[in-house]
Amino acid sequence: MFETLKVFLRNRKALIGLIIVLLYVAVAVFGPLILNLDPMQRVGRPHQGPSPEEWFGTTRMGRDVFAQVIYGTRTSLAVGFFAGTIIVLIGTCLGIAAGYFGGWIDEVITFFTNVVLVIPQLPLLLVIAAFMGQTSPVVIAIIIGLTSWAWGARVTRSQTLTLRNREYILASELIGERPTRMIFVELLPNLLSIIGFNFIGSVTYTIITQATLEFLGLGNPMSVSWGTMLYHAQNTSAITIGAWWEVLVPALAVAGIGVGLSLLNFGVDEISNPRLRTLGTVAAAVRAQKKLDQQRLAETNA
Amino acid sequence: MSFVIRRIAFYLVAFVVAATINFILPRLMPGNPIDVLFAQQATTLPAEARQALIETFGFASGPLHLQFLDYMKSVFTGDLGYSIRFYPQTVNQVLAYAFPWTLLLAGTATLLAFCVGSIIGTYAAWRRGGLLDAVATPTSLALQATPAVVIALTALFIFGVALRWLPTGYAFNPSLDPGWTWAFISSVFIHGLMPVFSLMIVFVGGYLVTMRNNMIGQLGEDHVTMGLAKGLTDKRVQFNYAARNALLPSVTSLGLTLGAILGGSLVTEVVFNYPGLGQTLYLGIVTRDYPLIQGQLLIMTFATLLANLAVDLLYVFLDPRLRRA
């Protein structure tokens, strides 16, 4: 476990990604506690620029952008992790079932997965959200979770199929292990990296999609999140009248967590597939190799 | 040939599923679905338009399965009902006006993103660890994870508001008459620059990383080593041996990402006030124009499926193995 962590932290991309994500999590958990300020409260005149009192300025309604973005972090991350969990649960169950059982079960699941995959996501979400009325963050998380599992199911299925043909699986089958044990003890641990990959990707996707849905006016305008902040900014033409802080702050917040999560994901990908590495890691590997060579040379000389 | 027919059958089913979602949703809502559908505009909508909408959505016929057949008949005959926001226009008329703009925007952006991404990806993989790879790959990862809203709003602020280089809205100067005149076409071009490029930037990263990773996979294959051993030029090995094969998965992802691109286009249009499907839809959402919102799901699904079919046909051309089957 410790070894894996060390390998993980040696990858610069993964490390930076992890730091960014942890920072966001810390803000989401502790930010509102430390701040202790109602984000919906009027604190100043409308559209005031950043100042020592309001660090990130105020909105059209005179609300503190800093307080809003801190509370918004909590909403957005919670929605992201919640929907990510739903997506991973559905995707993994369907993927393993299709890959392990094969036959008609596989046929049905694969067909269904492919259908969901070709129907455009955002328009579908828009239709569902529109019928739900002004959707709260929890409802948004649920509808994103229930419609976005197809990709994960497909990836998990193909990985399960490759594992299925390994000799150790055949051996366990010949011993007469029950399907539940096969799935949970033999297959699942070997699928963990795919599941993790799927989870991080889904969280990124959910956060982006939630912001988009709310920006388009399908969220509850009374809830505080990055998406509703962008929605209010767009509705009050914040950009055209020069109130850039009202747009830039939530925009950077969304972009930042997106970059952090995808760096983390790419780092994980690089660790499991070393051929994908770019300059920094390649150079580091070359350096490590050289050092090792010199050490060996010194040992043989001595 | 049977490959193409199988795909067409599959897309037909996918389309029916999308239409079924449209059929079920209003019936799942609490209360009378007809009231739900037309609640907002019950007073402004004339009685005959309301009746026409009820018939289009199949509410007029008795049991559920008859309603379903009736609705499917409407969908497959291309009757999507009246728009509530834009009454007396039908949903078809509203979408038909908006669709060319979205096609222009999303089509150009996709083409640019795919070409630029694939070419840079090819070079980044060829000189893996080189300067281009070290800069382009992490940058495209960051771009890929940035939502279209953010990029569009940033572009709007920098080039539209702060620098005032480019117009901040509309597809062309409203004082011009649409036509094949130089003034009109250049106006469309200038107004399209920001939406097209901000949409392209969102998607270029995905194609770049896909191409780069496929290329790296290809470069380790025997046929590439063989090509180099034969003494072929680097260019020939890079493009004819490696890139040609590496392009296949990219082309598949081109079809599948089209849905995402249409989604990105929706948002970009709202930000730039571009008169495509997204902007129309946004106006529809504000007034809960359900027939319009449902119509856009169908037309976007249809467009995505057509694009996937085109990709399948392209695949037959690119992958000789499928031609024999």
Side-chain angles (χ1 to χ4, degrees), chain B residues 122-123 126-127 215 219 223-244:
Chain B
T122 308
Y123 279 99
W126 188 254
R127 297 236 176 281
M215 253 318 254
L219 290 178
H223 66 270
V224 170
T225 319
M226 172 72 180
L228 288 170
K230 278 200 293 188
L232 298 177
T233 57
D234 277 5
K235 278 264 161 312
R236 199 172 157 79
V237 175
Q238 186 182 356
F239 289 102
N240 293 25
Y241 279 59
R244 188 177 170 185

PDB file of all heavy atoms in Angstrom, chain B residues 122-123 126-127 215 219 223-244:
ATOM      1  N   THR B 122      -0.383  13.536 -33.680  1.00  0.00           N
ATOM      2  CA  THR B 122       0.551  12.713 -34.447  1.00  0.00           C
ATOM      3  C   THR B 122       1.997  13.146 -34.195  1.00  0.00           C
ATOM      4  O   THR B 122       2.877  12.319 -33.937  1.00  0.00           O
ATOM      5  CB  THR B 122       0.244  12.837 -35.953  1.00  0.00           C
ATOM      6  OG1 THR B 122      -1.134  12.576 -36.147  1.00  0.00           O
ATOM      7  CG2 THR B 122       1.065  11.870 -36.760  1.00  0.00           C
ATOM      8  N   TYR B 123       2.216  14.456 -34.244  1.00  0.00           N
ATOM      9  CA  TYR B 123       3.579  14.944 -34.041  1.00  0.00           C
ATOM     10  C   TYR B 123       4.034  14.769 -32.596  1.00  0.00           C
ATOM     11  O   TYR B 123       5.192  14.429 -32.333  1.00  0.00           O
ATOM     12  CB  TYR B 123       3.687  16.420 -34.456  1.00  0.00           C
ATOM     13  CG  TYR B 123       3.849  16.580 -35.948  1.00  0.00           C
ATOM     14  CD1 TYR B 123       2.761  16.890 -36.750  1.00  0.00           C
ATOM     15  CD2 TYR B 123       5.086  16.386 -36.550  1.00  0.00           C
ATOM     16  CE1 TYR B 123       2.891  17.010 -38.124  1.00  0.00           C
ATOM     17  CE2 TYR B 123       5.241  16.512 -37.924  1.00  0.00           C
ATOM     18  CZ  TYR B 123       4.141  16.818 -38.705  1.00  0.00           C
ATOM     19  OH  TYR B 123       4.280  16.926 -40.067  1.00  0.00           O
ATOM     20  N   TRP B 126       5.093  11.250 -32.163  1.00  0.00           N
ATOM     21  CA  TRP B 126       6.305  10.946 -32.929  1.00  0.00           C
ATOM     22  C   TRP B 126       7.547  11.422 -32.175  1.00  0.00           C
ATOM     23  O   TRP B 126       8.561  10.741 -32.143  1.00  0.00           O
ATOM     24  CB  TRP B 126       6.208  11.603 -34.302  1.00  0.00           C
ATOM     25  CG  TRP B 126       7.301  11.204 -35.241  1.00  0.00           C
ATOM     26  CD1 TRP B 126       8.368  11.961 -35.619  1.00  0.00           C
ATOM     27  CD2 TRP B 126       7.443   9.949 -35.908  1.00  0.00           C
ATOM     28  NE1 TRP B 126       9.154  11.266 -36.474  1.00  0.00           N
ATOM     29  CE2 TRP B 126       8.615  10.019 -36.671  1.00  0.00           C
ATOM     30  CE3 TRP B 126       6.683   8.772 -35.923  1.00  0.00           C
ATOM     31  CZ2 TRP B 126       9.061   8.965 -37.454  1.00  0.00           C
ATOM     32  CZ3 TRP B 126       7.128   7.720 -36.694  1.00  0.00           C
ATOM     33  CH2 TRP B 126       8.301   7.815 -37.451  1.00  0.00           C
ATOM     34  N   ARG B 127       7.460  12.621 -31.595  1.00  0.00           N
ATOM     35  CA  ARG B 127       8.560  13.115 -30.764  1.00  0.00           C
ATOM     36  C   ARG B 127       8.100  13.109 -29.310  1.00  0.00           C
ATOM     37  O   ARG B 127       7.974  14.145 -28.690  1.00  0.00           O
ATOM     38  CB  ARG B 127       8.945  14.535 -31.157  1.00  0.00           C
ATOM     39  CG  ARG B 127       9.462  14.656 -32.565  1.00  0.00           C
ATOM     40  CD  ARG B 127      10.842  15.278 -32.615  1.00  0.00           C
ATOM     41  NE  ARG B 127      11.352  15.306 -33.979  1.00  0.00           N
ATOM     42  CZ  ARG B 127      11.882  14.256 -34.594  1.00  0.00           C
ATOM     43  NH1 ARG B 127      11.990  13.107 -33.960  1.00  0.00           N
ATOM     44  NH2 ARG B 127      12.322  14.351 -35.828  1.00  0.00           N
ATOM     45  N   MET B 215      -1.329   6.737 -31.396  1.00  0.00           N
ATOM     46  CA  MET B 215      -0.077   6.784 -32.153  1.00  0.00           C
ATOM     47  C   MET B 215       1.019   6.064 -31.380  1.00  0.00           C
ATOM     48  O   MET B 215       1.775   5.280 -31.947  1.00  0.00           O
ATOM     49  CB  MET B 215       0.341   8.249 -32.326  1.00  0.00           C
ATOM     50  CG  MET B 215       0.198   8.911 -33.673  1.00  0.00           C
ATOM     51  SD  MET B 215       0.647   8.015 -35.098  1.00  0.00           S
ATOM     52  CE  MET B 215       2.190   8.809 -35.512  1.00  0.00           C
ATOM     53  N   LEU B 219       3.233   3.042 -32.707  1.00  0.00           N
ATOM     54  CA  LEU B 219       4.684   3.145 -32.924  1.00  0.00           C
ATOM     55  C   LEU B 219       5.426   1.946 -32.347  1.00  0.00           C
ATOM     56  O   LEU B 219       6.553   1.669 -32.732  1.00  0.00           O
ATOM     57  CB  LEU B 219       5.224   4.449 -32.328  1.00  0.00           C
ATOM     58  CG  LEU B 219       4.786   5.715 -33.070  1.00  0.00           C
ATOM     59  CD1 LEU B 219       5.316   6.953 -32.387  1.00  0.00           C
ATOM     60  CD2 LEU B 219       5.239   5.685 -34.520  1.00  0.00           C
ATOM     61  N   HIS B 223       4.846  -3.500 -37.663  1.00  0.00           N
ATOM     62  CA  HIS B 223       4.867  -2.975 -39.026  1.00  0.00           C
ATOM     63  C   HIS B 223       5.581  -1.631 -39.107  1.00  0.00           C
ATOM     64  O   HIS B 223       6.113  -1.265 -40.146  1.00  0.00           O
ATOM     65  CB  HIS B 223       3.452  -2.894 -39.617  1.00  0.00           C
ATOM     66  CG  HIS B 223       2.562  -1.913 -38.934  1.00  0.00           C
ATOM     67  ND1 HIS B 223       1.774  -2.241 -37.861  1.00  0.00           N
ATOM     68  CD2 HIS B 223       2.355  -0.608 -39.161  1.00  0.00           C
ATOM     69  CE1 HIS B 223       1.107  -1.179 -37.468  1.00  0.00           C
ATOM     70  NE2 HIS B 223       1.440  -0.179 -38.240  1.00  0.00           N
ATOM     71  N   VAL B 224       5.577  -0.882 -37.982  1.00  0.00           N
ATOM     72  CA  VAL B 224       6.292   0.398 -37.976  1.00  0.00           C
ATOM     73  C   VAL B 224       7.805   0.144 -37.957  1.00  0.00           C
ATOM     74  O   VAL B 224       8.566   0.747 -38.727  1.00  0.00           O
ATOM     75  CB  VAL B 224       5.850   1.254 -36.771  1.00  0.00           C
ATOM     76  CG1 VAL B 224       6.741   2.467 -36.621  1.00  0.00           C
ATOM     77  CG2 VAL B 224       4.403   1.688 -36.958  1.00  0.00           C
ATOM     78  N   THR B 225       8.239  -0.790 -37.118  1.00  0.00           N
ATOM     79  CA  THR B 225       9.645  -1.170 -37.081  1.00  0.00           C
ATOM     80  C   THR B 225      10.087  -1.656 -38.460  1.00  0.00           C
ATOM     81  O   THR B 225      11.160  -1.303 -38.961  1.00  0.00           O
ATOM     82  CB  THR B 225       9.856  -2.301 -36.057  1.00  0.00           C
ATOM     83  OG1 THR B 225       9.071  -2.016 -34.907  1.00  0.00           O
ATOM     84  CG2 THR B 225      11.308  -2.421 -35.671  1.00  0.00           C
ATOM     85  N   MET B 226       9.218  -2.452 -39.067  1.00  0.00           N
ATOM     86  CA  MET B 226       9.494  -2.987 -40.407  1.00  0.00           C
ATOM     87  C   MET B 226       9.674  -1.857 -41.410  1.00  0.00           C
ATOM     88  O   MET B 226      10.621  -1.854 -42.206  1.00  0.00           O
ATOM     89  CB  MET B 226       8.310  -3.883 -40.814  1.00  0.00           C
ATOM     90  CG  MET B 226       8.345  -4.366 -42.223  1.00  0.00           C
ATOM     91  SD  MET B 226       9.622  -5.613 -42.421  1.00  0.00           S
ATOM     92  CE  MET B 226       9.409  -5.987 -44.153  1.00  0.00           C
ATOM     93  N   GLY B 227       8.752  -0.868 -41.346  1.00  0.00           N
ATOM     94  CA  GLY B 227       8.833   0.266 -42.260  1.00  0.00           C
ATOM     95  C   GLY B 227      10.153   1.011 -42.089  1.00  0.00           C
ATOM     96  O   GLY B 227      10.824   1.353 -43.074  1.00  0.00           O
ATOM     97  N   LEU B 228      10.525   1.232 -40.831  1.00  0.00           N
ATOM     98  CA  LEU B 228      11.792   1.933 -40.563  1.00  0.00           C
ATOM     99  C   LEU B 228      12.969   1.097 -41.050  1.00  0.00           C
ATOM    100  O   LEU B 228      13.917   1.624 -41.630  1.00  0.00           O
ATOM    101  CB  LEU B 228      11.919   2.219 -39.062  1.00  0.00           C
ATOM    102  CG  LEU B 228      10.996   3.301 -38.512  1.00  0.00           C
ATOM    103  CD1 LEU B 228      11.041   3.318 -37.000  1.00  0.00           C
ATOM    104  CD2 LEU B 228      11.381   4.664 -39.076  1.00  0.00           C
ATOM    105  N   ALA B 229      12.896  -0.237 -40.820  1.00  0.00           N
ATOM    106  CA  ALA B 229      13.996  -1.118 -41.206  1.00  0.00           C
ATOM    107  C   ALA B 229      14.174  -1.152 -42.719  1.00  0.00           C
ATOM    108  O   ALA B 229      15.278  -1.284 -43.226  1.00  0.00           O
ATOM    109  CB  ALA B 229      13.747  -2.526 -40.671  1.00  0.00           C
ATOM    110  N   LYS B 230      13.033  -1.008 -43.449  1.00  0.00           N
ATOM    111  CA  LYS B 230      13.114  -0.992 -44.900  1.00  0.00           C
ATOM    112  C   LYS B 230      13.780   0.272 -45.411  1.00  0.00           C
ATOM    113  O   LYS B 230      14.064   0.390 -46.598  1.00  0.00           O
ATOM    114  CB  LYS B 230      11.701  -1.072 -45.511  1.00  0.00           C
ATOM    115  CG  LYS B 230      11.163  -2.485 -45.579  1.00  0.00           C
ATOM    116  CD  LYS B 230      10.032  -2.607 -46.576  1.00  0.00           C
ATOM    117  CE  LYS B 230       8.793  -1.840 -46.166  1.00  0.00           C
ATOM    118  NZ  LYS B 230       7.661  -2.120 -47.048  1.00  0.00           N
ATOM    119  N   GLY B 231      13.968   1.240 -44.506  1.00  0.00           N
ATOM    120  CA  GLY B 231      14.603   2.483 -44.909  1.00  0.00           C
ATOM    121  C   GLY B 231      13.646   3.494 -45.499  1.00  0.00           C
ATOM    122  O   GLY B 231      14.035   4.382 -46.244  1.00  0.00           O
ATOM    123  N   LEU B 232      12.340   3.360 -45.192  1.00  0.00           N
ATOM    124  CA  LEU B 232      11.375   4.352 -45.663  1.00  0.00           C
ATOM    125  C   LEU B 232      11.633   5.674 -44.945  1.00  0.00           C
ATOM    126  O   LEU B 232      12.197   5.694 -43.855  1.00  0.00           O
ATOM    127  CB  LEU B 232       9.945   3.889 -45.367  1.00  0.00           C
ATOM    128  CG  LEU B 232       9.499   2.608 -46.040  1.00  0.00           C
ATOM    129  CD1 LEU B 232       8.102   2.255 -45.593  1.00  0.00           C
ATOM    130  CD2 LEU B 232       9.562   2.745 -47.550  1.00  0.00           C
ATOM    131  N   THR B 233      11.194   6.761 -45.580  1.00  0.00           N
ATOM    132  CA  THR B 233      11.390   8.058 -44.931  1.00  0.00           C
ATOM    133  C   THR B 233      10.531   8.129 -43.665  1.00  0.00           C
ATOM    134  O   THR B 233       9.490   7.459 -43.567  1.00  0.00           O
ATOM    135  CB  THR B 233      10.968   9.214 -45.860  1.00  0.00           C
ATOM    136  OG1 THR B 233       9.603   8.993 -46.226  1.00  0.00           O
ATOM    137  CG2 THR B 233      11.838   9.277 -47.084  1.00  0.00           C
ATOM    138  N   ASP B 234      10.976   8.960 -42.720  1.00  0.00           N
ATOM    139  CA  ASP B 234      10.230   9.145 -41.476  1.00  0.00           C
ATOM    140  C   ASP B 234       8.803   9.574 -41.762  1.00  0.00           C
ATOM    141  O   ASP B 234       7.857   9.086 -41.148  1.00  0.00           O
ATOM    142  CB  ASP B 234      10.919  10.204 -40.607  1.00  0.00           C
ATOM    143  CG  ASP B 234      12.062   9.596 -39.810  1.00  0.00           C
ATOM    144  OD1 ASP B 234      12.333   8.401 -40.025  1.00  0.00           O
ATOM    145  OD2 ASP B 234      12.668  10.310 -38.996  1.00  0.00           O
ATOM    146  N   LYS B 235       8.636  10.515 -42.692  1.00  0.00           N
ATOM    147  CA  LYS B 235       7.321  11.034 -43.032  1.00  0.00           C
ATOM    148  C   LYS B 235       6.381   9.901 -43.443  1.00  0.00           C
ATOM    149  O   LYS B 235       5.241   9.833 -43.031  1.00  0.00           O
ATOM    150  CB  LYS B 235       7.423  12.025 -44.200  1.00  0.00           C
ATOM    151  CG  LYS B 235       7.817  13.422 -43.805  1.00  0.00           C
ATOM    152  CD  LYS B 235       6.579  14.295 -43.647  1.00  0.00           C
ATOM    153  CE  LYS B 235       6.839  15.534 -42.842  1.00  0.00           C
ATOM    154  NZ  LYS B 235       7.558  15.365 -41.584  1.00  0.00           N
ATOM    155  N   ARG B 236       6.907   8.992 -44.282  1.00  0.00           N
ATOM    156  CA  ARG B 236       6.076   7.916 -44.794  1.00  0.00           C
ATOM    157  C   ARG B 236       5.664   6.961 -43.666  1.00  0.00           C
ATOM    158  O   ARG B 236       4.505   6.568 -43.560  1.00  0.00           O
ATOM    159  CB  ARG B 236       6.835   7.160 -45.885  1.00  0.00           C
ATOM    160  CG  ARG B 236       5.918   6.357 -46.767  1.00  0.00           C
ATOM    161  CD  ARG B 236       6.673   5.786 -47.951  1.00  0.00           C
ATOM    162  NE  ARG B 236       5.954   4.619 -48.460  1.00  0.00           N
ATOM    163  CZ  ARG B 236       4.883   4.703 -49.240  1.00  0.00           C
ATOM    164  NH1 ARG B 236       4.418   5.870 -49.597  1.00  0.00           N
ATOM    165  NH2 ARG B 236       4.272   3.608 -49.655  1.00  0.00           N
ATOM    166  N   VAL B 237       6.618   6.627 -42.818  1.00  0.00           N
ATOM    167  CA  VAL B 237       6.300   5.734 -41.704  1.00  0.00           C
ATOM    168  C   VAL B 237       5.304   6.414 -40.764  1.00  0.00           C
ATOM    169  O   VAL B 237       4.313   5.823 -40.344  1.00  0.00           O
ATOM    170  CB  VAL B 237       7.577   5.344 -40.929  1.00  0.00           C
ATOM    171  CG1 VAL B 237       7.230   4.508 -39.708  1.00  0.00           C
ATOM    172  CG2 VAL B 237       8.530   4.590 -41.838  1.00  0.00           C
ATOM    173  N   GLN B 238       5.579   7.681 -40.485  1.00  0.00           N
ATOM    174  CA  GLN B 238       4.746   8.419 -39.534  1.00  0.00           C
ATOM    175  C   GLN B 238       3.298   8.499 -40.003  1.00  0.00           C
ATOM    176  O   GLN B 238       2.380   8.225 -39.227  1.00  0.00           O
ATOM    177  CB  GLN B 238       5.317   9.831 -39.353  1.00  0.00           C
ATOM    178  CG  GLN B 238       4.618  10.643 -38.283  1.00  0.00           C
ATOM    179  CD  GLN B 238       5.182  12.032 -38.186  1.00  0.00           C
ATOM    180  OE1 GLN B 238       6.143  12.387 -38.864  1.00  0.00           O
ATOM    181  NE2 GLN B 238       4.577  12.849 -37.340  1.00  0.00           N
ATOM    182  N   PHE B 239       3.100   8.851 -41.270  1.00  0.00           N
ATOM    183  CA  PHE B 239       1.729   9.067 -41.726  1.00  0.00           C
ATOM    184  C   PHE B 239       1.092   7.821 -42.334  1.00  0.00           C
ATOM    185  O   PHE B 239      -0.008   7.461 -41.966  1.00  0.00           O
ATOM    186  CB  PHE B 239       1.677  10.244 -42.714  1.00  0.00           C
ATOM    187  CG  PHE B 239       1.902  11.557 -42.031  1.00  0.00           C
ATOM    188  CD1 PHE B 239       3.130  12.194 -42.110  1.00  0.00           C
ATOM    189  CD2 PHE B 239       0.901  12.126 -41.261  1.00  0.00           C
ATOM    190  CE1 PHE B 239       3.350  13.393 -41.450  1.00  0.00           C
ATOM    191  CE2 PHE B 239       1.108  13.313 -40.592  1.00  0.00           C
ATOM    192  CZ  PHE B 239       2.342  13.957 -40.683  1.00  0.00           C
ATOM    193  N   ASN B 240       1.798   7.145 -43.247  1.00  0.00           N
ATOM    194  CA  ASN B 240       1.158   6.016 -43.927  1.00  0.00           C
ATOM    195  C   ASN B 240       1.131   4.746 -43.084  1.00  0.00           C
ATOM    196  O   ASN B 240       0.252   3.915 -43.254  1.00  0.00           O
ATOM    197  CB  ASN B 240       1.875   5.715 -45.237  1.00  0.00           C
ATOM    198  CG  ASN B 240       1.693   6.833 -46.242  1.00  0.00           C
ATOM    199  OD1 ASN B 240       1.461   7.976 -45.843  1.00  0.00           O
ATOM    200  ND2 ASN B 240       1.779   6.522 -47.521  1.00  0.00           N
ATOM    201  N   TYR B 241       2.097   4.572 -42.202  1.00  0.00           N
ATOM    202  CA  TYR B 241       2.148   3.335 -41.423  1.00  0.00           C
ATOM    203  C   TYR B 241       1.476   3.492 -40.064  1.00  0.00           C
ATOM    204  O   TYR B 241       0.677   2.662 -39.667  1.00  0.00           O
ATOM    205  CB  TYR B 241       3.605   2.871 -41.246  1.00  0.00           C
ATOM    206  CG  TYR B 241       4.135   2.149 -42.449  1.00  0.00           C
ATOM    207  CD1 TYR B 241       4.170   2.777 -43.691  1.00  0.00           C
ATOM    208  CD2 TYR B 241       4.584   0.844 -42.356  1.00  0.00           C
ATOM    209  CE1 TYR B 241       4.644   2.125 -44.807  1.00  0.00           C
ATOM    210  CE2 TYR B 241       5.070   0.172 -43.475  1.00  0.00           C
ATOM    211  CZ  TYR B 241       5.094   0.826 -44.691  1.00  0.00           C
ATOM    212  OH  TYR B 241       5.552   0.170 -45.789  1.00  0.00           O
ATOM    213  N   ALA B 242       1.854   4.564 -39.340  1.00  0.00           N
ATOM    214  CA  ALA B 242       1.337   4.699 -37.976  1.00  0.00           C
ATOM    215  C   ALA B 242       0.035   5.492 -37.924  1.00  0.00           C
ATOM    216  O   ALA B 242      -0.986   5.008 -37.429  1.00  0.00           O
ATOM    217  CB  ALA B 242       2.390   5.332 -37.081  1.00  0.00           C
ATOM    218  N   ALA B 243       0.056   6.716 -38.475  1.00  0.00           N
ATOM    219  CA  ALA B 243      -1.100   7.607 -38.310  1.00  0.00           C
ATOM    220  C   ALA B 243      -2.365   7.027 -38.936  1.00  0.00           C
ATOM    221  O   ALA B 243      -3.455   7.186 -38.397  1.00  0.00           O
ATOM    222  CB  ALA B 243      -0.794   8.977 -38.902  1.00  0.00           C
ATOM    223  N   ARG B 244      -2.214   6.348 -40.063  1.00  0.00           N
ATOM    224  CA  ARG B 244      -3.407   5.835 -40.734  1.00  0.00           C
ATOM    225  C   ARG B 244      -4.161   4.858 -39.833  1.00  0.00           C
ATOM    226  O   ARG B 244      -5.388   4.891 -39.742  1.00  0.00           O
ATOM    227  CB  ARG B 244      -3.008   5.142 -42.037  1.00  0.00           C
ATOM    228  CG  ARG B 244      -4.233   4.784 -42.825  1.00  0.00           C
ATOM    229  CD  ARG B 244      -3.935   4.177 -44.147  1.00  0.00           C
ATOM    230  NE  ARG B 244      -5.203   3.666 -44.676  1.00  0.00           N
ATOM    231  CZ  ARG B 244      -5.309   2.990 -45.787  1.00  0.00           C
ATOM    232  NH1 ARG B 244      -4.247   2.745 -46.503  1.00  0.00           N
ATOM    233  NH2 ARG B 244      -6.484   2.551 -46.183  1.00  0.00           N
TER     234      ARG B 244
END
